[in-house]
Amino acid sequence: MTTHQHQDQDQHQDTPAPAAVRVAVVTGGSRGIGRAVSRKLAGDGLAVVVGYVRDAASAEETVAAVTEAGGRAVAVPADVAEEDEVAALFDRAEAEFGGVDVVVNAAARMELSPIADLDLAVLDALHRTNVRGAFVVARQAARRLRAGGSFVAFSSSVVGTQFPAYGAYAASKGAVEAMTLILARELRGRDVTVNTVAPGPTATDMFLTGKTPEQVDRLAMTPPLERLGTPDDIAAVVAFLVGSAGHWVNGQVLRANGGMV
């Protein structure tokens, strides 16, 4: 063997294999908290599949923000309550990036009404997304997450604060909290964590819509930290839970709310 061949062989042996990219599926990733989570995870080196329902332009804005920062992302339409669409979302993640390591179900809807006046059609639509959708996404996550992976669901601190007019929404998020530890236990032996983040008042379009400036100011002063949360505040909590530093946290509901109940 020539000296040149020896050098080539040594260089080949000394070159480490490239690390496998971690892959995140983020539903509701086109706006608000879901967009902030997508950007944060991409900044941490994950490839991101941005799930959305109707607003393709906003989803592509999320993808553009990720790619412009040097990350990798694609946008894929999927109604979280539709089993086949969610399965196709996961199929795309596996085809595009090789697998799924993180699932964040940020898709949700909120409708406010006193219980006595609640339109049951509104209740059904809300629970279709927030309860059925949570289970559909969780089922795919349970089937597909690779070892070392994480599933993060979203609840709301209103489950604890129990403000009037939030009955239907709080009930739907209580269902998410109830399944959290159960799913974590069902995944025993898989090295997969399951947690739920329950934000307090957070400055997103969904939170601000329909509220007067006085109502927003009052809610902002409720936490001891005396401000609204930001989508980036919540994204940082999610990034901790799905990273190596947070992997010992499992089966928990974390109230990321600045000190509310």
Side-chain angles (χ1 to χ4, degrees):
M1 183 178 293
T2 67
T3 301
H4 179 70
Q5 287 173 320
H6 275 300
Q7 290 173 343
D8 286 347
Q9 186 180 52
D10 291 342
Q11 289 172 355
H12 178 73
Q13 290 173 343
D14 292 343
T15 302
V21 64
R22 299 184 76 218
V23 181
V25 171
V26 181
T27 69
S30 62
R31 298 185 300 163
I33 290 173
R35 173 177 287 181
V37 168
S38 297
R39 295 183 66 176
K40 174 62 176 173
L41 296 185
D44 288 347
L46 282 76
V48 180
V49 178
V50 178
Y52 69 95
V53 180
R54 288 175 294 275
D55 195 348
S58 292
E60 291 298 342
E61 288 175 6
T62 302
V63 170
V66 167
T67 55
E68 287 167 9
R72 301 170 65 190
V74 294
V76 181
D79 180 343
V80 293
E82 290 294 334
E83 178 182 3
D84 291 343
E85 293 183 22
V86 174
L89 175 66
F90 279 75
D91 289 343
R92 179 69 180 277
E94 292 173 348
E96 195 83 22
F97 299 121
V100 179
D101 302 282
V102 171
V103 176
V104 181
N105 184 38
R109 61 186 298 166
M110 181 169 65
E111 302 286 348
L112 303 183
S113 170
I115 292 171
D117 302 327
L118 181 62
D119 183 332
L120 294 182
V122 170
L123 176 70
D124 290 343
L126 186 150
H127 282 209
R128 180 180 181 275
T129 296
N130 294 4
V131 180
R132 177 185 167 89
F135 273 82
V136 170
V137 175
R139 186 166 71 161
Q140 287 296 324
R143 293 174 176 178
R144 306 220 203 183
L145 278 167
R146 295 188 285 205
S150 298
F151 173 64
V152 177
F154 270 91
S155 178
S156 168
S157 287
V158 78
V159 174
T161 60
Q162 299 182 357
F163 294 139
Y166 282 83
Y169 182 70
S172 72
K173 293 304 185 177
V176 174
E177 294 191 8
M179 80 173 186
T180 303
L181 182 55
I182 292 172
L183 182 57
R185 288 172 169 168
E186 289 175 350
L187 297 182
R188 174 183 292 274
R190 290 269 304 278
D191 191 26
V192 169
T193 64
V194 178
N195 293 289
T196 291
V197 177
T202 304
T204 64
D205 290 343
M206 187 171 76
F207 168 77
L208 296 171
T209 298
K211 294 182 175 65
T212 66
E214 293 75 20
Q215 289 173 319
V216 172
D217 289 344
R218 185 171 64 253
L219 287 167
M221 293 301 292
T222 302
L225 295 182
E226 296 187 337
R227 67 171 176 86
L228 294 179
T230 68
D232 286 344
D233 289 327
I234 309 307
V237 175
V238 173
F240 166 73
L241 290 173
V242 306
S244 59
H247 201 64
W248 190 237
V249 182
N250 192 20
Q252 305 303 307
V253 177
L254 278 71
R255 304 215 179 282
N257 59 24
M260 297 172 66
V261 174

